[in-house]
Amino acid sequence: MIQAGIIGGAGYTAGELIRILWRHPGLNLNFIYSTSQTGMPVTKIHQDLLGETNLQFSGEINSDIDVVFLCLGHGNSIKFLEENYFSETTKIVDLSTDYRMSDEGHMFVYGLPESKKEQIKKANFIANPGCFATAITLAILPLASEKLLKDDVHINAVTGATGAGTSLSETTHFTWRDNNFSAYKAFEHQHLAEINQSMKNLQPEFSSALNFIPNRGNFSRGIHCTAYTNFSGSLEEAQELYKNYYNDAAFTFVVEEEVHLKQVVNTNKCLIRLQKFGDKLLITSVLDNLLKGASGQAVHNMNLMFGFEEDMGLRLKANYF
Amino acid sequence: MIQAGIIGGAGYTAGELIRILWRHPGLNLNFIYSTSQTGMPVTKIHQDLLGETNLQFSGEINSDIDVVFLCLGHGNSIKFLEENYFSETTKIVDLSTDYRMSDEGHMFVYGLPESKKEQIKKANFIANPGCFATAITLAILPLASEKLLKDDVHINAVTGATGAGTSLSETTHFTWRDNNFSAYKAFEHQHLAEINQSMKNLQPEFSSALNFIPNRGNFSRGIHCTAYTNFSGSLEEAQELYKNYYNDAAFTFVVEEEVHLKQVVNTNKCLIRLQKFGDKLLITSVLDNLLKGASGQAVHNMNLMFGFEEDMGLRLKANYF
Amino acid sequence: MIQAGIIGGAGYTAGELIRILWRHPGLNLNFIYSTSQTGMPVTKIHQDLLGETNLQFSGEINSDIDVVFLCLGHGNSIKFLEENYFSETTKIVDLSTDYRMSDEGHMFVYGLPESKKEQIKKANFIANPGCFATAITLAILPLASEKLLKDDVHINAVTGATGAGTSLSETTHFTWRDNNFSAYKAFEHQHLAEINQSMKNLQPEFSSALNFIPNRGNFSRGIHCTAYTNFSGSLEEAQELYKNYYNDAAFTFVVEEEVHLKQVVNTNKCLIRLQKFGDKLLITSVLDNLLKGASGQAVHNMNLMFGFEEDMGLRLKANYF
Amino acid sequence: MIQAGIIGGAGYTAGELIRILWRHPGLNLNFIYSTSQTGMPVTKIHQDLLGETNLQFSGEINSDIDVVFLCLGHGNSIKFLEENYFSETTKIVDLSTDYRMSDEGHMFVYGLPESKKEQIKKANFIANPGCFATAITLAILPLASEKLLKDDVHINAVTGATGAGTSLSETTHFTWRDNNFSAYKAFEHQHLAEINQSMKNLQPEFSSALNFIPNRGNFSRGIHCTAYTNFSGSLEEAQELYKNYYNDAAFTFVVEEEVHLKQVVNTNKCLIRLQKFGDKLLITSVLDNLLKGASGQAVHNMNLMFGFEEDMGLRLKANYF
């Protein structure tokens, strides 16, 4: 049993980590560090665990730990690691944006198992991808892997209210969000940088635009993404390319059925569907923003780093309805 | 054209008043006073009016006005009227709880048109009923009018998220409220006092309990209320009693169909259905908490005070879907 | 008072027409023809009218009528008009797709008041536009009017469950639709033909693609549409162009605020917002699919044909919450 | 590994069984019998399993099986067992109402583990309780166990749309159910019989009324139940009684926090909260109607019958948001 800690235990991604790690057979949840909730039972915030656990939020960090997950606000992971010390053997999975861009100044590996499984297995530090970034990157990665991204990609995606974090705001107030829909941060979403980085790693000359319009949906969990671009091959060729590329992926599946959010919510899966219209290849991808788009992927990365089965702790029952 | 003012313009009930009064043919909306939004366009908050009006929130009160609506937090109307002056002919409709309990110290009439139409017509000051109070009182008022409330009444009602006001809170956060349900303030809701007062006005010896469990529903608008008590008559007798009692009501209708929220949301109506099971009479009432339960009823009261047709400005198209 | 009839009274668009026409001050609702509901009260289906009307569905058509609205399934209006006779002075508003494409064989005018107000005023027969077609056409019409559509337009729009009609189906079942999202009919939606026709009327050489991905949202009413294309001018130039073009539009407004569905649901309005990113102009439009996208626009067309004020019967209170 | 079969594989409860049993470590899912879907992949209906399984619905029944779950419509289990044969050692869990009432004519044990754990362990045939029956029975069972049910019990509960089954109907159409609420089958719900039976088993002289009003909520999963009755003891005494009664329950927990649906949806748990107001004890219980109210409880019963750990296969991650 490896020993695990969570830094920043009160938010959505920490909650999902606790729900998964609490049942993970290869791991003991050693501490959940929260400055705002020190000493409180974990069930005060993550109330679905009522009756199951008497874990408490801790005000102290155990630095002699096998793995630590950082669930801090964007910008705070760097600061936290400057101010806190872990043992030399402690592996770190950071769920913030802080280390997603490659840089000589850090040794974090971008933790998208579909493209970097071998590197992740050997890594000590993982920058866990963003939720939109995961949905979009998985939709176009096989094209980049064959250097087939030759034109602009037109992307429209919608995310649930958990995508906005736990803080109270007008656009997450029930009376605003219920039965509503709106676009935001068009063409300028912060995840575009990491998506572009992934594309250029595989197809260095890629210089087309990723035109991305994110939207706020009136649901709690899930990302639905459509992306289209020119593709000269047939639908069958596209399907062969994608199925080969994701052949050994543990959670990403290319399907021929229509895809929708309920197929993936509360699972760690990403489903991808391909369609061809004239010269255009339309790729639709769906995933749960808090699992495959955050905490589930973080556990997947940890499983790879520690040599566990890839889906250990992640054989999750979908909510479906 | 009478001149009207609104005090406290940024909340839900003020917004509904503006939506109604803006189109009311007998009235000019003279000012909307808001200390928090002074000088801002009304459409900054009430965005459905975009394109229709360039009204602004005002930091000044016109005291020489025909009617003023107080949309202040509970407890603040008394304070406001102590500190501010209106002309002798200004009529006041207060939407808070402050004047709902009869008291020698004030001259406010409880503004439930179904029971006090003639008093309202002559009144200068109206205490507009609470939303749950309206739904529950209308459900049992005909029984009290015939002194037939002889046993405990068992009441369960559910309200939408607008019932909790505009302030941000955990239980109005979308990720909490969406697809959720919970009870609160069981047996102790603050509206019980005004309901009891209305019952005792009609049936002075009434001394049974009103057992009331309020609930939070995952919708924005509407109250659905079931109430049952012993009733020795037949269903037909109950229907005759109710239909007679509400015979000249402008907005309250006794129907034989199953009732549900969508029949009344975005209207000023209250629908009431009666059923009999053994000795028990079950009364189901539905209304829109912001209209019949607040701002629509306030306009109805104003129409009565100024001799307008009862439904002027209130022939509202339901949303229905 | 003109006399009006509705053919096909049980569906969503007929229901909305009844709700509007019932309160329309210039018109008497003479009959509502329904073969499936003959003799039944209108409130059996349109239950929000309970207490207000005892209108019944009729099995007979009054052919001597001033205006008739056809609310039949697509393909059935042609058949109906072949088999039924109206007086020579009867004006017809058809809400189906049957007469939307110009053709020598019929005299229907495409009823988009923003582009054809003068023709509509003189018309006897109106083909009422489709809901997606209205949202998309209004988003790009000012560009076509100045022959500025020079590149592909990338369009993504989401509609509510009422867009699928009243019939029961898997994708309108609550347990499927609730908290779900999915794309459908990508690049092949039937409304593309009428949108292309409108563009070519204004900009005959237009030959770029309208790439349109429709989506199913988990709400009942509303269409949210984003469209972007290359535009060499500045944001200010685009806003001036749009504001001039819609200067005398009764229901379409160009705004600078973020737009969302709740601003327009249960109104006849269309709000349009412009943003510029690099060379791209992003246009976001929102409307209620059943009102501005169907029955509200039908009444607007009727108002124009009969010389009523454009917004008569259409000053609707938004639901907003 | 025991061999299991499911009869009637296309409905909600069968889907939940498949999701659980597919991951159950002590069991092999031998066949899923469906006459309507014979030969189709299970993922055609239960689409969240896409990518995980290529199981197919079968048209044949393997009668030499360790356990079979009947997921047939109410009334069809009796017929099915008359027409089909299983081996003498096959254990049966019936999810319909057919065998819930004790009767000399059958040997089914009512499968509520909180009250009949030892009988279930020895049973071969289980009648799995109804969803409302489970929520209500668990709310008042400890009182009956001490013969403390002395007055009428007033019960109000709300269920999600999955409670109505998969068939398409007006009240499960999205445009009807979304943001709506309604009562149905007041005082006459079919589950009252089995609840009364459970009470009388423990408190034979129980003769008070169970006044039960069921409601339709606008969510997909979950039951929220409030029940109150006179109780002469203190809140502390009630809590001690309940905590003792449920001391060894695997999934039912008495908590002091406010309870709501999201704490239990997609888990097999039932949470119970007690409050005291005057003479009245208010009990609030919440559970997932498809899990603790159906398929999860069925698996729990199976675990007991085969000597598995009670929570095997049932350590489910809540959706929570």
Side-chain angles (χ1 to χ4, degrees):
Chain A
M1 295 283 271
I2 66 170
Q3 299 295 316
I6 297 175
I7 306 296
Y12 290 139
T13 56
E16 292 294 280
L17 270 176
I18 297 168
R19 289 176 188 100
I20 296 169
L21 297 182
W22 169 247
R23 294 167 177 87
H24 192 289
L27 173 152
N28 176 54
L29 196 43
N30 187 284
F31 71 86
I32 304 167
Y33 176 76
S34 168
T35 51
S36 67
Q37 303 291 333
T38 301
M40 303 303 300
V42 163
T43 53
K44 185 192 156 207
I45 304 289
H46 309 300
Q47 299 178 8
D48 58 297
L49 297 174
L50 277 168
E52 293 180 63
T53 172
N54 45 25
L55 269 175
Q56 293 188 346
F57 291 111
S58 170
E60 287 179 34
I61 295 168
N62 178 356
S63 61
D64 188 20
I65 200 99
D66 296 303
V67 62
V68 66
F69 295 88
L70 306 185
C71 299
L72 300 164
H74 300 309
N76 292 334
S77 291
I78 287 177
K79 200 183 305 176
F80 178 84
L81 291 179
E82 284 169 0
E83 295 170 0
N84 290 274
Y85 163 86
F86 288 97
S87 87
E88 284 191 11
T89 58
T90 302
K91 294 177 191 288
I92 299 175
V93 181
D94 178 33
L95 282 83
S96 82
T97 61
D98 289 10
Y99 297 100
R100 290 183 195 156
M101 299 307 290
S102 295
D103 188 308
E104 291 187 2
H106 71 73
M107 296 176 60
F108 282 74
V109 172
Y110 189 71
L112 189 70
E114 285 80 356
S115 74
K116 295 182 175 257
K117 195 179 287 187
E118 295 312 312
Q119 287 167 265
I120 294 166
K121 285 180 181 172
K122 297 176 209 143
N124 288 316
F125 308 116
I126 294 290
N128 209 54
C131 52
F132 272 133
T134 301
I136 295 168
T137 303
L138 292 177
I140 56 177
L141 200 58
L143 295 176
S145 78
E146 296 292 321
K147 303 182 176 38
L148 292 170
L149 279 179
K150 294 181 175 160
D151 287 283
D152 288 359
V153 187
H154 301 279
I155 306 163
N156 194 291
V158 54
T159 188
T162 53
T166 51
S167 60
L168 304 173
S169 66
E170 185 198 355
T171 55
T172 54
H173 194 287
F174 185 81
T175 64
W176 192 95
R177 190 95 177 201
D178 178 42
N179 270 8
N180 206 351
F181 195 88
S182 57
Y184 72 109
K185 293 189 186 174
F187 296 98
E188 295 179 336
H189 195 279
Q190 64 273 15
H191 287 180
L192 282 168
E194 57 186 280
I195 303 168
N196 264 306
Q197 173 180 266
S198 294
M199 294 307 117
K200 285 190 174 155
N201 280 347
L202 289 173
Q203 184 177 341
E205 81 287 2
F206 173 67
S207 64
S208 306
L210 299 175
N211 298 308
F212 171 34
I213 300 184
N215 297 279
R216 300 180 190 97
N218 63 318
F219 44 84
S220 289
R221 302 175 83 126
I223 286 178
H224 179 281
C225 168
T226 51
Y228 58 87
T229 191
N230 283 329
F231 176 75
S232 58
S234 67
L235 176 61
E236 290 68 29
E237 288 167 332
Q239 286 176 325
E240 192 184 350
L241 166 62
Y242 273 68
K243 288 186 176 176
N244 282 341
Y245 191 83
Y246 291 123
N247 189 41
D248 70 339
F251 296 104
T252 297
F253 303 101
V254 182
V255 301
E256 296 182 22
E257 291 85 354
E258 184 176 310
V259 295
H260 58 82
L261 288 182
K262 294 213 163 179
Q263 293 161 342
V264 295
V265 163
N266 209 32
T267 80
N268 197 46
K269 293 201 289 190
C270 176
L271 295 185
I272 292 176
R273 183 197 193 193
L274 302 173
Q275 292 167 280
K276 192 87 198 288
F277 300 95
D279 293 336
K280 293 190 177 59
L281 180 68
L282 171 65
I283 311 111
T284 309
S285 62
V286 288
L287 53 75
D288 184 314
N289 57 307
L290 293 177
L291 292 171
K292 180 60 179 165
S295 305
Q297 189 145 269
V299 175
H300 186 185
N301 281 316
M302 180 201 72
N303 284 345
L304 288 169
M305 287 195 290
F306 286 91
F308 294 135
E309 285 179 68
E310 286 192 59
D311 65 352
M312 188 178 281
L314 294 170
R315 293 171 203 122
L316 302 169
K317 180 191 165 300
N319 205 47
Y320 199 56
F321 307 114
Chain B
M1 296 281 273
I2 66 170
Q3 299 296 315
I6 297 175
I7 307 296
Y12 291 139
T13 56
E16 292 294 281
L17 270 177
I18 296 169
R19 289 177 189 98
I20 296 168
L21 297 182
W22 169 248
R23 295 168 176 85
H24 192 288
L27 174 151
N28 177 53
L29 196 43
N30 187 283
F31 71 85
I32 304 166
Y33 175 76
S34 169
T35 52
S36 66
Q37 302 292 332
T38 302
M40 302 303 300
V42 163
T43 53
K44 185 192 155 205
I45 304 291
H46 310 300
Q47 299 178 9
D48 58 297
L49 298 174
L50 277 168
E52 293 182 61
T53 174
N54 44 25
L55 269 174
Q56 294 188 344
F57 292 111
S58 169
E60 288 180 32
I61 294 168
N62 179 357
S63 61
D64 188 20
I65 199 99
D66 296 303
V67 61
V68 66
F69 296 88
L70 306 186
C71 298
L72 300 165
H74 300 308
N76 292 333
S77 291
I78 287 177
K79 198 182 308 177
F80 178 84
L81 290 179
E82 285 169 359
E83 296 171 0
N84 290 274
Y85 164 85
F86 289 98
S87 89
E88 284 191 11
T89 58
T90 301
K91 294 178 190 289
I92 298 175
V93 182
D94 178 34
L95 282 83
S96 83
T97 60
D98 289 10
Y99 297 101
R100 290 182 194 156
M101 299 308 290
S102 294
D103 188 310
E104 292 187 1
H106 71 73
M107 297 175 61
F108 282 75
V109 172
Y110 189 71
L112 189 70
E114 284 79 359
S115 75
K116 297 184 173 256
K117 195 180 287 187
E118 295 312 314
Q119 287 167 265
I120 294 166
K121 285 180 181 171
K122 297 176 210 144
N124 288 317
F125 307 117
I126 294 291
N128 209 56
C131 52
F132 272 132
T134 301
I136 295 167
T137 303
L138 293 176
I140 55 178
L141 199 58
L143 294 175
S145 77
E146 296 294 322
K147 303 184 176 36
L148 294 169
L149 280 179
K150 293 179 178 164
D151 288 283
D152 289 358
V153 187
H154 302 279
I155 306 162
N156 192 292
V158 54
T159 187
T162 53
T166 51
S167 61
L168 304 174
S169 66
E170 186 199 354
T171 56
T172 54
H173 194 288
F174 185 82
T175 63
W176 191 94
R177 190 98 178 198
D178 178 42
N179 270 8
N180 207 350
F181 195 88
S182 57
Y184 71 110
K185 293 188 186 174
F187 295 97
E188 297 180 335
H189 195 278
Q190 64 273 15
H191 287 180
L192 281 167
E194 57 186 283
I195 304 168
N196 264 306
Q197 172 180 264
S198 295
M199 295 306 115
K200 285 190 174 155
N201 280 347
L202 289 172
Q203 184 177 340
E205 81 287 3
F206 173 67
S207 64
S208 307
L210 300 175
N211 298 308
F212 171 34
I213 301 183
N215 298 279
R216 301 180 190 98
N218 62 319
F219 44 84
S220 289
R221 302 177 82 124
I223 286 177
H224 179 281
C225 168
T226 51
Y228 59 87
T229 191
N230 284 330
F231 176 76
S232 58
S234 66
L235 176 62
E236 290 67 30
E237 288 167 332
Q239 286 176 325
E240 193 184 349
L241 167 61
Y242 273 68
K243 287 185 178 177
N244 282 342
Y245 190 84
Y246 291 122
N247 189 40
D248 71 340
F251 296 103
T252 298
F253 303 101
V254 182
V255 301
E256 297 182 22
E257 292 84 353
E258 183 176 310
V259 295
H260 56 82
L261 288 183
K262 294 213 165 182
Q263 293 161 342
V264 294
V265 164
N266 209 34
T267 80
N268 196 46
K269 294 201 288 193
C270 176
L271 295 185
I272 292 176
R273 184 196 192 192
L274 303 172
Q275 291 167 279
K276 192 88 198 291
F277 300 95
D279 292 336
K280 292 189 178 60
L281 180 67
L282 171 66
I283 311 112
T284 309
S285 63
V286 287
L287 52 75
D288 185 315
N289 58 308
L290 293 178
L291 292 171
K292 180 62 178 164
S295 305
Q297 189 145 269
V299 174
H300 186 187
N301 281 316
M302 181 200 72
N303 285 344
L304 289 168
M305 288 195 288
F306 286 91
F308 294 135
E309 285 179 68
E310 288 193 59
D311 65 352
M312 188 178 282
L314 295 169
R315 292 171 204 122
L316 302 170
K317 180 191 164 299
N319 206 46
Y320 200 54
F321 307 113
Chain C
M1 296 282 270
I2 64 170
Q3 299 296 316
I6 296 175
I7 306 296
Y12 290 139
T13 57
E16 292 295 280
L17 270 176
I18 296 168
R19 289 177 189 100
I20 297 169
L21 297 182
W22 169 247
R23 294 167 177 87
H24 192 288
L27 173 151
N28 178 53
L29 196 43
N30 187 283
F31 70 86
I32 304 166
Y33 175 76
S34 169
T35 51
S36 66
Q37 302 292 332
T38 301
M40 302 303 299
V42 163
T43 53
K44 183 191 157 206
I45 303 290
H46 309 300
Q47 299 178 8
D48 57 297
L49 298 173
L50 277 167
E52 293 181 63
T53 174
N54 45 24
L55 270 174
Q56 293 187 346
F57 292 110
S58 170
E60 287 180 34
I61 295 168
N62 178 356
S63 62
D64 188 19
I65 200 99
D66 295 304
V67 61
V68 66
F69 295 88
L70 306 186
C71 299
L72 299 164
H74 300 310
N76 292 334
S77 290
I78 286 177
K79 200 183 305 177
F80 178 83
L81 290 179
E82 285 168 0
E83 295 171 359
N84 291 273
Y85 163 87
F86 289 97
S87 88
E88 284 192 11
T89 59
T90 302
K91 294 178 191 288
I92 299 175
V93 182
D94 178 34
L95 282 83
S96 83
T97 60
D98 289 10
Y99 297 100
R100 290 183 195 157
M101 299 309 289
S102 295
D103 188 309
E104 291 187 2
H106 71 73
M107 296 176 60
F108 281 74
V109 172
Y110 189 71
L112 189 70
E114 285 79 357
S115 74
K116 296 184 174 256
K117 195 180 286 187
E118 296 311 313
Q119 288 166 266
I120 294 166
K121 285 180 180 172
K122 296 177 210 144
N124 288 317
F125 307 117
I126 295 290
N128 209 55
C131 52
F132 272 132
T134 300
I136 295 168
T137 302
L138 293 176
I140 55 177
L141 199 59
L143 295 176
S145 79
E146 296 293 321
K147 302 182 176 40
L148 293 169
L149 279 180
K150 293 179 176 160
D151 287 283
D152 289 359
V153 187
H154 302 279
I155 306 162
N156 193 291
V158 54
T159 188
T162 52
T166 51
S167 60
L168 305 173
S169 66
E170 186 199 354
T171 56
T172 54
H173 194 286
F174 185 82
T175 64
W176 192 95
R177 190 94 176 201
D178 179 42
N179 270 7
N180 206 351
F181 194 88
S182 57
Y184 71 108
K185 292 189 187 174
F187 296 97
E188 295 179 336
H189 195 279
Q190 64 274 15
H191 287 181
L192 282 168
E194 57 185 281
I195 303 168
N196 264 306
Q197 172 180 266
S198 295
M199 294 308 116
K200 286 192 173 153
N201 280 347
L202 289 172
Q203 184 176 340
E205 82 287 3
F206 174 68
S207 63
S208 306
L210 300 175
N211 298 308
F212 171 35
I213 300 183
N215 297 279
R216 301 180 190 98
N218 62 318
F219 45 85
S220 289
R221 301 175 82 124
I223 286 178
H224 179 282
C225 168
T226 51
Y228 59 87
T229 191
N230 283 329
F231 176 75
S232 58
S234 67
L235 176 61
E236 290 68 30
E237 288 167 332
Q239 285 176 326
E240 192 184 349
L241 166 63
Y242 273 68
K243 287 186 176 176
N244 283 342
Y245 191 83
Y246 291 123
N247 189 42
D248 70 340
F251 296 104
T252 297
F253 303 101
V254 181
V255 301
E256 297 182 21
E257 291 84 354
E258 185 176 310
V259 295
H260 57 82
L261 288 182
K262 294 214 163 179
Q263 294 161 341
V264 295
V265 163
N266 208 33
T267 80
N268 197 45
K269 293 201 289 191
C270 175
L271 295 184
I272 292 176
R273 183 196 193 194
L274 302 173
Q275 292 167 280
K276 192 86 199 290
F277 299 96
D279 293 335
K280 293 189 177 61
L281 180 67
L282 171 65
I283 311 112
T284 310
S285 62
V286 287
L287 54 74
D288 185 315
N289 58 307
L290 293 177
L291 291 171
K292 181 61 179 166
S295 305
Q297 189 145 269
V299 174
H300 186 186
N301 281 316
M302 180 201 72
N303 284 345
L304 289 169
M305 287 195 289
F306 285 91
F308 294 134
E309 284 180 69
E310 287 192 59
D311 65 352
M312 188 178 281
L314 294 171
R315 292 172 204 121
L316 302 169
K317 181 190 164 301
N319 204 48
Y320 199 55
F321 306 115
Chain D
M1 296 281 273
I2 66 169
Q3 300 295 316
I6 297 175
I7 306 295
Y12 290 140
T13 55
E16 292 295 279
L17 271 177
I18 296 168
R19 288 176 189 101
I20 297 168
L21 297 182
W22 169 246
R23 294 167 177 85
H24 193 287
L27 174 151
N28 177 54
L29 196 44
N30 187 285
F31 70 86
I32 304 166
Y33 176 76
S34 169
T35 52
S36 66
Q37 303 292 331
T38 301
M40 302 302 300
V42 163
T43 53
K44 184 191 157 206
I45 303 290
H46 309 300
Q47 299 178 8
D48 58 297
L49 298 174
L50 276 168
E52 293 181 61
T53 173
N54 44 26
L55 270 175
Q56 294 188 345
F57 291 111
S58 169
E60 288 180 32
I61 295 168
N62 178 356
S63 61
D64 188 19
I65 200 99
D66 296 302
V67 61
V68 66
F69 296 88
L70 306 186
C71 298
L72 300 164
H74 300 308
N76 292 334
S77 291
I78 287 177
K79 198 182 309 175
F80 178 83
L81 291 179
E82 285 169 359
E83 296 170 359
N84 290 274
Y85 164 84
F86 289 98
S87 87
E88 283 191 12
T89 59
T90 301
K91 294 178 190 289
I92 298 175
V93 181
D94 178 33
L95 282 83
S96 82
T97 60
D98 289 10
Y99 297 100
R100 291 182 195 157
M101 299 308 290
S102 294
D103 188 309
E104 292 188 1
H106 71 73
M107 298 175 60
F108 281 74
V109 172
Y110 189 70
L112 189 70
E114 284 79 357
S115 75
K116 297 183 173 257
K117 194 180 287 187
E118 296 311 314
Q119 287 168 264
I120 294 166
K121 284 180 180 171
K122 297 176 211 145
N124 288 317
F125 307 117
I126 294 291
N128 208 56
C131 52
F132 272 132
T134 301
I136 295 167
T137 303
L138 293 176
I140 55 178
L141 199 59
L143 294 176
S145 77
E146 296 292 322
K147 303 184 176 35
L148 293 168
L149 279 179
K150 294 180 177 161
D151 288 284
D152 289 358
V153 188
H154 302 278
I155 306 162
N156 192 292
V158 53
T159 188
T162 53
T166 51
S167 61
L168 304 173
S169 67
E170 185 199 355
T171 56
T172 53
H173 194 287
F174 184 82
T175 64
W176 191 94
R177 191 97 177 199
D178 178 42
N179 270 8
N180 207 351
F181 195 87
S182 58
Y184 71 109
K185 294 189 186 174
F187 296 96
E188 296 179 336
H189 195 278
Q190 65 273 16
H191 288 180
L192 282 167
E194 56 185 283
I195 303 168
N196 264 307
Q197 172 180 265
S198 295
M199 295 307 115
K200 287 192 173 154
N201 279 348
L202 289 171
Q203 183 176 341
E205 82 287 4
F206 174 67
S207 63
S208 307
L210 300 174
N211 298 309
F212 171 34
I213 301 184
N215 297 280
R216 300 179 191 99
N218 63 319
F219 44 83
S220 289
R221 301 177 83 124
I223 286 177
H224 179 281
C225 168
T226 51
Y228 60 88
T229 190
N230 284 330
F231 176 76
S232 58
S234 67
L235 176 61
E236 290 67 30
E237 289 167 332
Q239 285 176 326
E240 193 185 348
L241 167 62
Y242 274 68
K243 287 184 178 178
N244 282 341
Y245 191 84
Y246 291 123
N247 189 41
D248 70 340
F251 296 104
T252 298
F253 303 100
V254 182
V255 300
E256 297 183 21
E257 292 85 353
E258 183 176 311
V259 295
H260 57 83
L261 288 182
K262 293 213 165 182
Q263 294 162 341
V264 295
V265 163
N266 209 34
T267 80
N268 196 46
K269 294 201 289 192
C270 176
L271 295 184
I272 292 176
R273 183 195 192 194
L274 303 173
Q275 292 166 281
K276 191 88 198 290
F277 300 95
D279 293 336
K280 292 189 178 61
L281 180 67
L282 171 65
I283 312 112
T284 309
S285 63
V286 288
L287 53 74
D288 184 315
N289 57 308
L290 293 178
L291 292 171
K292 180 61 178 164
S295 305
Q297 189 146 268
V299 174
H300 186 186
N301 280 317
M302 180 199 73
N303 285 344
L304 289 168
M305 288 195 289
F306 285 92
F308 294 135
E309 285 179 67
E310 287 193 58
D311 65 352
M312 188 178 281
L314 294 170
R315 293 170 204 123
L316 301 171
K317 181 192 163 299
N319 205 46
Y320 199 55
F321 306 113

